Amino acid sequence: MPAKTQISVRVPPELRSAVRRRAFDEGTTVQSFVEQALRRAVAKPERTVDLDVHHLVRELIDSGAYAAEARRIGEDDPELATM
């Protein structure tokens, strides 16, 4: 196993409690849980979204237009709305 170093991070008590609960629920240690979360956070994404598309989708979501369209689709096709 490669050598490991220690880091200290200050977090709010409620976040610490949530991490401990999730680690317990997943049957792992806090150390392992946090290590895996950090690995996911710094990993390169497998695919990237064009920033223009990302900004357009964000605008739709923020404006409420996305929710309105999703409701319209759900009225037309309830099965599609749950996908």
Side-chain angles (χ1 to χ4, degrees):
M1 177 183 282
K4 294 186 178 189
T5 62
Q6 181 174 333
I7 62 172
S8 296
V9 179
R10 294 186 186 279
V11 296
E14 64 275 6
L15 178 57
R16 180 178 183 267
S17 296
V19 167
R20 291 179 74 181
R21 279 193 305 275
R22 285 289 302 274
F24 178 80
D25 290 347
E26 293 182 17
T28 189
T29 64
V30 170
Q31 177 178 325
S32 181
F33 180 83
V34 171
E35 183 178 339
Q36 290 304 312
L38 289 171
R39 287 185 187 282
R40 285 191 302 271
V42 299
K44 268 189 161 179
E46 291 182 19
R47 35 182 187 138
T48 58
V49 175
D50 181 278
L51 284 180
D52 292 335
V53 172
H54 175 79
H55 292 302
L56 177 61
V57 170
R58 175 60 29 208
E59 282 179 30
L60 287 171
I61 291 170
D62 291 345
S63 72
Y66 180 81
E69 184 64 13
R71 279 193 300 280
R72 187 193 66 71
I73 290 170
E75 291 169 4
D76 293 345
D77 188 347
E79 185 179 340
L80 181 62
T82 62
M83 297 177 90

